[in-house]
Amino acid sequence: MSQKVKPSVQSLKSMPADYRFLDSPPLEDSSGSSVSVTIPPNGHLKNGFKGTGDSVGGVDNGNEDSPYSVSNGEVSSLVDGDLIVPLPQSTDRRWSDTSVYARKKVLQFWVQLPSGNWELGKVLSTSGEESVVKLPEGNVLKVISETLVPANPDILDGVDDLMQLSYLNEPAVLYNLEYRYNQDMIYTKAGPVLVAVNPFKEVPLYGNSNIEAYRKRSNESPHVYAIADTAIREMIRDEVNQSIIISGESGAGKTETAKIAMQYLAALGGGSGIEYEILKTNPILEAFGNAKTLRNDNSSRFGKLIEIHFSETGKISGAKVQTFLLEKSRVVQCAEGERSYHIFYQLCAGASPTLREKLNLTSAEEYKYLQQSNCYSINGVDDAERFQAVTEALDIVHVSKEDQESVFAMLAAVLWLGNVSFTVIDNENHVEPEEDESLSTVAKLIGCNINELKLALSNRNMKVRNDTIIQKLTLSQAIDARDALAKSIYACLFDWLVEQINKSLAVGKRRTGRSISILDIYGFESFDKNSFEQFCINYANERLQQHFNRHLFKLEQEEYIQDGIDWTRVDFEDNQNCLSLFEKKPLGLLSLLDEESTFPNGTDLTLANKLKEHLSANSCFRGDRGKAFTVSHYAGEVTYETTGFLEKNRDLLHSDSIKLLSSCSCHLPQAFASSMLIHSEKPVVGPLYKAGGADSQRLSVATKFKDQLFQLMQRLGNTTPHFIRCIKPNNVQSPGLYEQGLVLQQLRCCGVLEVVRISRSGFPTRMSHQKFARRYGFLLLESIAAKDPLSVSVAILHQFNILPEMYQVGYTKLFFRTGQIGVLEDTRNRTLHGILRLQSCFRGHQARSRLREHKRRVTVLQSFVRGEKVRKEYTELLRRHRASAAIQSHVKRRIAKRQYKATVDASVVIQSAIRGELVRRCAGDIGWLKSGGTKRNESDEVLVKASVLSELQRRVLKSEAALREKEEENDILRQRLQQYDNRWSEYETKMKSMEEIWQKQMRSLQSSLSIAKKSLEVEDSARNSDASVNASDATELSGSGGDFRTHGRTRSVGVGLSVISRLAEEFGQRAQVFGDDTKFLMEVKSGQVEANLDPERELRRLKQMFDTWKKDYGGRLRETKLILGKLGSEGGGGSAERVKMKWWGRLKSTRF
C-alpha cells in the first residue's frame, strides 16, 4: 500500500539517492530534482525504520519512534520526555551520511565553530530553521538547523573500523580518530585502508610479542602487522604478487611505517639470514636520501620501492630496491632551518681520527654547503652514533672497507667543492678557481690533476662543426658548473650504493615470482615557495591517487556493473583532469616544460608565460602574476614559482666535467663517468636539444621521472594492493596534539570517507563460481558431481542460510559483503579440522594397531634372543660355579689337611709330653736304686738336661713376650680398622706400614726360632758326644741303670725341640696366610683387584680367625712352657741355671 510523502522530504540528503516508495512515482523537491523513498506495504522501511503515523516534514509520524518527528516549519515538541530535533543536513554532498538513518532521537549533535573545529553540543530548542545548542563548556549558540550533524552513540566511541559508525560524517570520523589517538591506538581501519596517525613518540605496539600475536591471529586490532600478514597470506594462497602502498604528507610517518612492515615480513619469512640484510638497508638509504625539513626531521627526499621476493615455502629469498627522483638540489642549497642529507653531518661527527685526517675533514660548520641553513643538529639524534650504524650496515650488505673509504672520500669531495672560491681575472668577469686548501683537497679526494680540475670549473669546450672553441666562464657560470659537478657526484654515488645493495640482495636462482612490494614515496607537499621538486613530487602523488581511485572506486564499481549485479554508483572525486593537465600532449605541463627546455634562450619567465597562454582554459590551472602559476591538485591548490624550473629540468653536466671524472685515478669517479655516458647514449624522446657535448643527448628530468612513474604504475597494477594512509596530527611534531583542520584536510585528500562508504555498501569480497564451488563444494550434504559451478555455489549459499542482501550473484563471480566469506571460511576450516581430527584418529588407531603388532613381534624376538643369551650366561655361570667349587674344595682340602696335620702334631706333642713325664717318673725311681759309682755321671747328665730345659723355658718366656707384643699390635690394628671409614687414605698408608712391621717381626721371630733350634742341635750333639765318651769309660755298675736314664733324658730334650720347631713352623705358616689374605683384601677394597665379595666383612672375619688362632697358639705356648718348666725342674741347680741363662742370652741378642 503506497503512502504519500510531502515534497519537503526531498531535503533529506542523508537518504540514498535511489530511495523511493513502492508503487509511487518519484517526487520532486523545490529545486526540481527527484528523490524517492522506498517503503514496503507493511509500513516499514527496508532497513527497519517505521514509516507510518503522523508526518514530520511531510512524512507521517504517528509512531513516536519515527525518526521524522517534526513538521515542516513547526517548533519541536517533547514526546515521552525526548526532545525531537529536525534532521541536520550538510551542504557538502560527499560528506553527508548515506546510511538509512535519517534522524536519531538524541540530544547530541556536532556543531562547527567559526574556527572550523567541530564541537559536540546538545540541542536545547529548535525554531524554524534555527536551533539553540549548548556546548560542553556551557556556551549557548544559535545555529542553522541544517548545519547540525548527528553524533554517534557513546557505545561507538573509539571503534577500530570506521565502517562500524552509524553516522559517517566528518566530525564523527575526526572524533573517532582523536579518541583512539589519545589512547595511543594510532591505527584505525577505514574499510580496506589502514589509517595511521603519527604519534610522534614511542608506543607499545611493536616487538616480537606483538608480531607473534598477529602471526597467530590472536590480536585482530588494526595494525601495520595485520596488513603485512594479510599480504603474505594472500600471496601464498592466491599466488599473486602483493603491494603495500604507503602514502601521506611529509612527516606523517611513511618511512617508519615501511620499516615496521618490513620488520614483520622479515620475522615471518626469515630464516636464511637475508632478511637481516634487507632491514639493514634502511639506515643506509635514510642517511643518504633523507634530510631535515621544516615539517619533518627525517623527510625522505626520494621515492623508494622495495620488492621482497619469497620462495615457494614463504621464506624470503631476496629483494630489490628501486629509487625515484632524488632531490639533488638539496646538496648545494638548503632553506633556513633545514639540513642537507644526514650523511654529511654524520660523517663530520662520527668519522674516526684516521679517516678524518685522510679526508681532511673539519666540523660541519666549516662547509659552505652546510652553512646556508644554520642548522647542524636534530634534537634527540646523535649523528656520531648514526654514522657507526651506517658503517655497520654497509658491512652487512657486503660493501668492502676500500669501497666505504671511497664513498666517504666522495662525500668529503662534495663538501670541499662547496668551499671552492673563484677569482675574477679580467674585465669581462671571467674567473678561475683559487688554488687553496679546498681545491687541492677535492683534487686529492677524487684522484685528478689540480690543473684539470681548474680548467673544468672555469672553462667550457664547445664544438662548432669541426672546430673546438674554449669559452671562459663567468662567476655565475662557474658556480653553476661547480654545483652541477657536486650534485652529479652525489646523485651517482647514491645510485651506486643502491646498485651495491641490490647486488647483495640479489635473488638469483632462488627467484620464484612471488613478491611483496613496499612503496614509500614522498608525500604531497605545499610550501610557501614551491619549486621544481614539489612540482614533480605532487605529480607523483597525483599518479598514486589515480591508482588508489582506480583500484577502490573505478575498477570496483566497473566490475559490479560488468558482472551484472544490482549496484548504484557512488560518486567520488576523480583527479583525471589534473593528470591530463600534466601529461597531455602536446599542450601539457610536462610537454611544454620539455619544449621550453630545448630552447637555448628559454627562461623561467618565458616558461611561465607559455604555460599561461596554452593552459588557461584548463579548470585545474590558474596563471598568477610573474613567474607563478597554480595547480588544483586532489589535495588542494599549490602555487609554483618557475624560478629554476628549466635549469633543474635540464640537469646539465658539461662534457668537460664528465671527462674530468673519467680521468680520475679513483674507481668511483670513473664508474660515475661511465654511467653518465651510458645514459647519454639512450635515444631522446621529444625535441630536447641543447648544444654542448654529452649533455645535448640527455633526457630531461621530468621525462625520465614520468617514465619511471609509468613503469611503477604498471608494476603496481599487476599486484594486489594494500593501502596505508599516514596522517600527520600536527605540524610541530608534538605528541598528543591533534589539530582537526590539518587532519580533516588529509582525510579529504585521501578520500577516506568515500572508501568507507563504498566498502560498507559494496561487496569487497568476490570469487569466481568455479573457485567457490571447488573451495566449498565438499561442504554440501548431497552429491555435486553432475552439477555446474553456479548451481553448486547457489546450493552452498542456501545450505548455510546466507541472507540474500549479504551477497550478489554475478555472471562470472559471487560478490559478498564484508565478513560473509569469513563465515564460510570458518565453517570450511572447522569441517576440515573435523576431517583432519577423524583422519588423525583413524590413522592413530592404525598406527597403534601396527605398533602393538610390532611390539608383539619384537617381544617374541626379544624372548628368543634373551633366552639364548640367558642360557649362554647360565652355562658360563655354571662352568664358573663348578670351577669355583673345585677351587674351593681344593683350598678347603688343603686347609683341612693342614688343620688335621696340626692337630695330629699337637696330639703327638701332648702324647709325647705325657709319656715322657711317665717315663721320667719311672726312670727317676729306678735311677736312685743304682750304685753310687755311677752317681757322679748321672748327676752330670741331669745337670746338662736341666740347663737345656732352662734354656727352653727362657725361649718360651720370650715367645710369650712376643705374643703379648703381637696382642698389643693387634689392638692397634683394631683401632685403625675402626677409623678406616673416616680416614681411608691414611688408613691405607698405615696398613702398609703395619704390614711391613709385621713382616719384619715375623722374620725376626723366625730367625730367633731358627737360632734357638740350631743352638739346641749343637748343644744336643755336644751332649751326645760327651755322653758317648762317658758311656765308654763307665763301669759296669752304671751300665743298665745309667743307660736307661740317659736315654730318657735325651729323649725328653728331643721332644721339646720338636715341639718348638713345630710351633715355629706353624707360626710362620699362619703369618704367611694371614699376610696374603690381608694383602688380597686391601687390593680388593682399593679397586686394584675385582672380586665378588665384601672386603669389610672379610676383614672382620679374618680378624676373628686371627684372634681365635692367637688364643689357641698362646694356650699351646703356655702348655709348652709348663712342660719345659717341669723338665727343667728335674735337672741340677747351678750348672743348669747357667746353661739356661747362656741360651736365653743368645736368644735376647737377636732383636724380637
Side-chain angles (χ1 to χ4, degrees):
M1 175 179 179
S2 61
Q3 300 182 11
K4 291 186 177 181
V5 180
K6 294 183 180 180
S8 59
V9 78
Q10 307 306 325
S11 63
L12 301 178
K13 289 189 177 182
S14 61
M15 300 292 290
D18 62 343
Y19 241 103
R20 67 183 187 276
F21 286 96
L22 292 179
D23 303 328
S24 299
L27 302 176
E28 294 185 355
D29 61 3
S30 58
S31 62
S33 60
S34 62
V35 175
S36 60
V37 181
T38 300
I39 299 181
N42 59 3
H44 293 76
L45 293 178
K46 273 189 176 181
N47 291 304
F49 287 99
K50 297 180 180 180
T52 60
D54 298 335
S55 63
V56 176
V59 180
D60 294 340
N61 64 345
N63 191 325
E64 62 181 14
D65 293 332
S66 172
Y68 315 112
S69 56
V70 179
S71 300
N72 187 23
E74 296 180 356
V75 182
S76 63
S77 60
L78 288 174
V79 180
D80 294 340
D82 291 337
L83 182 63
I84 309 302
V85 296
L87 173 72
Q89 300 181 12
S90 173
T91 57
D92 190 352
R93 173 65 183 87
R94 71 189 184 107
W95 293 105
S96 62
D97 186 14
T98 59
S99 68
V100 298
Y101 298 97
R103 291 286 304 276
K104 184 178 169 186
K105 271 179 42 176
V106 294
L107 300 177
Q108 290 185 330
F109 286 85
W110 291 107
V111 181
Q112 191 170 21
L113 303 180
S115 62
N117 292 336
W118 292 88
E119 282 284 349
L120 195 63
K122 293 184 178 181
V123 176
L124 300 180
S125 63
T126 300
S127 175
E129 296 182 355
E130 293 184 348
S131 298
V132 178
V133 181
K134 182 178 180 181
L135 301 181
E137 295 82 4
N139 300 332
V140 177
L141 298 178
K142 180 180 290 187
V143 296
I144 300 175
S145 300
E146 292 184 352
T147 61
L148 295 176
V149 179
N152 290 291
D154 294 342
I155 194 174
L156 296 179
D157 288 348
V159 293
D160 58 6
D161 193 343
L162 298 179
M163 291 179 61
Q164 301 176 15
L165 295 177
S166 297
Y167 290 98
L168 187 63
N169 46 53
E170 284 183 1
V173 172
L174 285 174
Y175 174 74
N176 193 75
L177 292 178
E178 183 177 9
Y179 184 91
R180 294 178 60 82
Y181 178 74
N182 291 334
Q183 298 183 14
D184 289 339
M185 294 184 292
I186 60 175
Y187 297 113
T188 306
K189 289 187 66 177
V193 179
L194 178 69
V195 179
V197 184
N198 193 344
F200 294 114
K201 65 178 182 179
E202 296 289 337
V203 290
L205 300 177
Y206 313 102
N208 294 331
S209 59
N210 288 282
I211 290 176
E212 190 67 17
Y214 281 93
R215 185 184 70 82
K216 295 181 178 179
R217 294 195 169 183
S218 60
N219 189 346
E220 297 182 355
S221 300
H223 203 288
V224 179
Y225 290 164
I227 296 293
D229 185 79
T230 302
I232 195 170
R233 291 179 186 272
E234 291 185 1
M235 178 195 69
I236 296 174
R237 184 190 66 192
D238 302 334
E239 298 184 357
V240 177
N241 292 340
Q242 308 289 310
S243 61
I244 300 176
I245 302 175
I246 305 170
S247 59
E249 286 193 4
S250 177
K254 300 183 299 298
T255 301
E256 292 299 321
T257 302
K259 289 194 290 186
I260 293 168
M262 292 171 60
Q263 177 190 12
Y264 187 85
L265 294 178
L268 259 67
S272 61
I274 196 171
E275 70 278 0
Y276 188 62
E277 296 182 28
I278 295 175
L279 293 178
K280 283 300 179 182
T281 60
N282 290 317
I284 301 174
L285 296 177
E286 285 187 18
F288 285 86
N290 288 24
K292 180 184 183 302
T293 63
L294 295 176
R295 296 185 178 182
N296 188 3
D297 289 343
N298 190 32
S299 176
S300 298
R301 309 316 300 165
F302 71 105
K304 174 178 63 177
L305 177 70
I306 299 181
E307 189 175 9
I308 303 175
H309 295 270
F310 292 82
S311 65
E312 295 179 353
T313 59
K315 298 298 180 182
I316 294 177
S317 59
K320 183 179 180 181
V321 179
Q322 183 180 359
T323 59
F324 309 94
L325 191 65
L326 178 70
E327 186 183 7
K328 295 190 290 185
S329 62
R330 185 168 290 271
V331 176
V332 300
Q333 184 178 3
C334 290
E336 184 72 22
E338 296 186 351
R339 292 205 320 176
S340 185
Y341 291 104
H342 294 324
I343 189 61
F344 292 122
Y345 306 91
Q346 294 171 1
L347 177 64
C348 294
S352 62
T354 304
L355 182 62
R356 186 178 296 275
E357 181 180 358
K358 186 175 182 179
L359 304 181
N360 195 21
L361 278 177
T362 62
S363 62
E365 292 83 355
E366 301 297 327
Y367 296 106
K368 293 182 180 179
Y369 280 161
L370 307 182
Q371 290 175 356
Q372 304 174 46
S373 62
N374 292 323
C375 180
Y376 304 100
S377 61
I378 302 176
N379 294 333
V381 176
D382 187 352
D383 288 324
E385 183 179 345
R386 294 290 178 89
F387 181 75
Q388 299 302 321
V390 171
T391 55
E392 292 176 3
L394 290 173
D395 292 334
I396 292 173
V397 297
H398 310 296
V399 178
S400 63
K401 291 295 183 182
E402 295 76 10
D403 287 343
Q404 291 184 33
E405 291 183 0
S406 299
V407 169
F408 299 145
M410 294 301 102
L411 294 174
V414 170
L415 292 177
W416 281 110
L417 267 175
N419 287 8
V420 173
S421 57
F422 299 92
T423 303
V424 179
I425 58 175
D426 55 23
N427 295 330
E428 296 182 0
N429 201 25
H430 294 154
V431 296
E432 68 176 10
E434 295 183 0
E435 292 192 17
D436 54 6
E437 180 185 13
S438 303
L439 191 67
S440 60
T441 302
V442 172
K444 175 184 175 183
L445 291 174
I446 65 176
C448 70
N449 185 277
I450 190 171
N451 293 323
E452 295 180 356
L453 179 61
K454 288 177 61 178
L455 291 175
L457 295 179
S458 59
N459 296 332
R460 177 171 299 174
N461 294 328
M462 302 184 65
K463 289 184 179 181
V464 179
R465 295 182 181 178
N466 295 329
D467 297 331
T468 300
I469 300 176
I470 300 177
Q471 177 185 0
K472 292 187 177 181
L473 302 180
T474 62
L475 180 60
S476 60
Q477 293 174 338
I479 293 175
D480 290 342
R482 179 199 66 185
D483 293 345
L485 179 61
K487 291 188 293 183
S488 299
I489 290 176
Y490 189 82
C492 291
L493 177 62
F494 184 79
D495 294 337
W496 182 85
L497 278 173
V498 173
E499 182 181 354
Q500 298 304 309
I501 291 173
N502 287 333
K503 288 181 181 179
S504 174
L505 304 180
V507 180
K509 296 181 180 180
R510 296 171 293 176
R511 184 164 185 167
T512 62
R514 298 180 181 179
S515 65
I516 297 178
S517 301
I518 300 177
L519 179 63
D520 172 21
I521 201 165
Y522 17 61
F524 185 84
E525 292 185 350
S526 178
F527 301 117
D528 294 336
K529 184 177 181 181
N530 300 285
S531 186
F532 180 73
E533 289 79 13
Q534 284 71 42
F535 178 80
C536 293
I537 288 172
N538 292 338
Y539 166 56
N541 279 271
E542 287 287 351
R543 260 288 159 203
L544 288 176
Q545 184 65 24
Q546 173 73 6
H547 179 71
F548 179 80
N549 293 343
R550 179 178 176 80
H551 178 74
L552 293 179
F553 300 134
K554 284 186 177 180
L555 296 181
E556 187 88 4
Q557 300 191 79
E558 287 176 3
E559 185 175 6
Y560 293 162
I561 296 173
Q562 289 176 2
D563 227 66
I565 69 172
D566 187 12
W567 172 256
T568 303
R569 274 188 174 273
V570 175
D571 296 332
F572 63 93
E573 283 197 9
D574 192 1
N575 64 337
Q576 185 59 49
N577 290 337
C578 186
L579 277 177
S580 299
L581 174 65
F582 275 89
E583 299 172 353
K584 186 178 180 180
K585 293 182 179 181
L587 298 179
L589 285 173
L590 298 178
S591 299
L592 293 175
L593 175 61
D594 285 347
E595 179 182 344
E596 191 67 18
S597 298
T598 60
F599 298 143
N601 296 327
T603 62
D604 298 329
L605 182 59
T606 59
L607 172 64
N609 293 333
K610 179 178 288 189
L611 295 178
K612 297 172 187 177
E613 178 183 354
H614 293 90
L615 301 177
S616 298
N618 194 303
S619 60
C620 296
F621 180 87
R622 185 179 74 247
D624 295 334
R625 293 183 179 181
K627 302 178 182 180
F629 67 93
T630 300
V631 176
S632 179
H633 291 281
Y634 75 95
E637 292 186 350
V638 179
T639 301
Y640 300 98
E641 291 282 344
T642 59
T643 303
F645 262 54
L646 295 180
E647 179 186 353
K648 293 177 181 179
N649 187 46
R650 292 165 181 161
D651 191 28
L652 298 179
L653 181 65
H654 202 270
S655 58
D656 295 338
S657 299
I658 298 178
K659 292 179 181 178
L660 173 69
L661 294 177
S662 62
S663 65
C664 293
S665 59
C666 296
H667 71 281
L668 279 185
Q670 295 177 1
F672 299 162
S674 300
S675 176
M676 294 177 190
L677 291 175
I678 291 174
H679 285 87
S680 67
E681 293 174 358
K682 294 183 178 179
V684 180
V685 179
L688 183 64
Y689 175 80
K690 188 177 191 305
D695 42 29
S696 63
Q697 299 297 321
R698 300 186 64 202
L699 295 174
S700 69
V701 173
T703 302
K704 289 191 296 184
F705 185 59
K706 178 182 176 182
D707 294 341
Q708 284 183 328
L709 278 181
F710 274 110
Q711 294 175 5
L712 174 63
M713 293 300 109
Q714 184 178 5
R715 180 181 298 181
L716 294 178
N718 295 328
T719 64
T720 300
H722 305 269
F723 295 97
I724 300 178
R725 290 292 191 177
C726 296
I727 303 296
K728 182 170 63 173
N730 59 77
N731 284 322
V732 295
Q733 304 179 31
S734 175
L737 180 60
Y738 187 88
E739 298 179 2
Q740 288 188 3
L742 180 63
V743 175
L744 182 59
Q745 178 190 2
Q746 297 173 74
L747 292 175
R748 286 173 175 173
C749 291
C750 61
V752 168
L753 267 70
E754 284 83 356
V755 171
V756 176
R757 186 174 296 111
I758 287 182
S759 298
R760 189 159 65 175
S761 59
F763 303 91
T765 306
R766 65 214 60 185
M767 194 175 297
S768 65
H769 300 319
Q770 292 80 3
K771 185 176 180 180
F772 187 82
R774 185 172 58 252
R775 187 171 184 84
Y776 303 106
F778 72 96
L779 298 176
L780 284 177
L781 301 179
E782 57 186 13
S783 177
I784 60 172
K787 294 184 178 180
D788 60 284
L790 178 59
S791 301
V792 174
S793 301
V794 174
I796 294 171
L797 296 174
H798 289 167
Q799 177 175 315
F800 289 95
N801 297 324
I802 297 180
L803 299 177
E805 60 268 19
M806 293 293 104
Y807 68 92
Q808 290 275 0
V809 180
Y811 299 139
T812 61
K813 297 178 182 178
L814 290 173
F815 297 83
F816 295 91
R817 294 196 185 275
T818 303
Q820 296 306 308
I821 200 68
V823 177
L824 286 175
E825 195 68 21
D826 291 342
T827 305
R828 177 179 181 270
N829 292 336
R830 287 196 302 269
T831 305
L832 289 177
H833 182 68
I835 294 173
L836 292 177
R837 287 292 301 273
L838 181 61
Q839 289 179 346
S840 65
C841 292
F842 178 71
R843 290 170 181 170
H845 173 70
Q846 284 185 328
R848 285 188 291 272
S849 300
R850 288 194 294 267
L851 179 62
R852 284 194 295 268
E853 180 64 21
H854 288 327
K855 281 185 176 181
R856 188 186 64 80
R857 295 176 181 178
V858 169
T859 302
V860 173
L861 182 61
Q862 286 178 346
S863 64
F864 283 113
V865 173
R866 290 172 179 172
E868 183 65 22
K869 183 179 179 182
V870 168
R871 282 190 289 272
K872 289 182 179 180
E873 291 178 353
Y874 176 74
T875 302
E876 178 66 18
L877 182 62
L878 185 61
R879 187 187 64 80
R880 294 179 64 181
H881 177 72
R882 290 173 179 173
S884 61
I887 294 172
Q888 287 178 355
S889 63
H890 181 69
V891 172
K892 291 177 180 179
R893 184 172 63 250
R894 290 191 62 184
I895 294 173
K897 185 176 179 181
R898 288 179 183 177
Q899 291 177 352
Y900 176 74
K901 185 178 179 182
T903 304
V904 171
D905 291 342
S907 300
V908 171
V909 170
I910 294 172
Q911 289 176 358
S912 64
I914 295 173
R915 291 171 183 174
E917 181 65 24
L918 295 175
V919 170
R920 281 191 294 276
R921 288 181 182 178
C922 295
D925 295 338
I926 297 172
W928 288 108
L929 298 176
K930 298 296 181 180
S931 62
T934 62
K935 191 176 288 187
R936 183 177 179 86
N937 293 332
E938 291 175 1
S939 61
D940 293 338
E941 185 177 356
V942 172
L943 179 62
V944 174
K945 300 297 183 182
S947 63
V948 171
L949 292 175
S950 62
E951 186 68 23
L952 290 175
Q953 288 178 352
R954 289 177 183 176
R955 293 182 181 180
V956 170
L957 292 174
K958 280 194 174 184
S959 298
E960 290 180 349
L963 182 60
R964 284 193 297 272
E965 290 179 0
K966 288 296 182 181
E967 290 179 350
E968 294 175 357
E969 291 177 359
N970 288 336
D971 293 336
I972 295 173
L973 289 175
R974 187 180 298 108
Q975 295 176 359
R976 291 178 180 175
L977 285 174
Q978 292 176 353
Q979 298 174 357
Y980 177 82
D981 292 333
N982 299 328
R983 298 179 299 168
W984 165 245
S985 59
E986 180 181 359
Y987 173 77
E988 186 177 5
T989 305
K990 290 182 180 181
M991 286 296 293
K992 289 181 181 179
S993 62
M994 188 166 57
E995 184 180 359
E996 293 175 357
I997 294 172
W998 194 1
Q999 291 175 358
K1000 289 180 182 180
Q1001 290 174 353
M1002 295 299 296
R1003 286 194 297 269
S1004 176
L1005 180 58
Q1006 289 175 356
S1007 62
S1008 299
L1009 291 175
S1010 61
I1011 292 172
K1013 185 176 181 181
K1014 289 179 182 180
S1015 175
L1016 288 174
E1017 290 176 353
V1018 170
E1019 291 179 0
D1020 186 44
S1021 62
R1023 282 192 296 270
N1024 290 336
S1025 62
D1026 292 341
S1028 63
V1029 173
N1030 292 332
S1032 64
D1033 294 338
T1035 60
E1036 293 179 356
L1037 296 173
S1038 59
S1040 60
D1043 291 339
F1044 178 77
R1045 297 185 73 174
T1046 302
H1047 176 72
R1049 294 180 185 276
T1050 303
R1051 182 180 177 185
S1052 301
V1053 173
V1055 172
L1057 291 175
S1058 65
V1059 171
I1060 292 175
S1061 299
R1062 284 196 297 272
L1063 289 175
E1065 182 182 358
E1066 180 184 355
F1067 191 89
Q1069 292 177 353
R1070 285 291 182 175
Q1072 182 67 27
V1073 170
F1074 285 129
D1076 294 341
D1077 292 343
T1078 304
K1079 184 177 180 181
F1080 174 75
L1081 292 175
M1082 294 300 295
E1083 290 176 348
V1084 170
K1085 190 165 186 179
S1086 62
Q1088 299 178 3
V1089 177
E1090 294 183 359
N1092 190 16
L1093 51 83
D1094 185 7
E1096 297 289 342
R1097 185 169 59 81
E1098 292 298 329
L1099 278 173
R1100 289 194 294 269
R1101 188 176 65 81
L1102 183 62
K1103 178 178 176 299
Q1104 293 174 359
M1105 292 173 60
F1106 179 80
D1107 293 338
T1108 303
W1109 174 80
K1110 183 186 70 173
K1111 292 179 180 179
D1112 180 62
Y1113 188 81
R1116 282 184 282 161
L1117 278 180
R1118 285 192 293 273
E1119 290 177 0
T1120 305
K1121 176 181 177 184
L1122 292 175
I1123 295 171
L1124 292 177
K1126 291 179 180 180
L1127 291 175
S1129 63
E1130 296 177 358
S1135 60
E1137 190 68 24
R1138 284 194 299 272
V1139 173
K1140 180 179 179 181
M1141 293 299 293
K1142 180 179 180 183
W1143 186 85
W1144 283 108
R1146 288 198 305 271
L1147 183 60
K1148 289 179 180 179
S1149 65
T1150 302
R1151 186 174 181 180
F1152 182 70

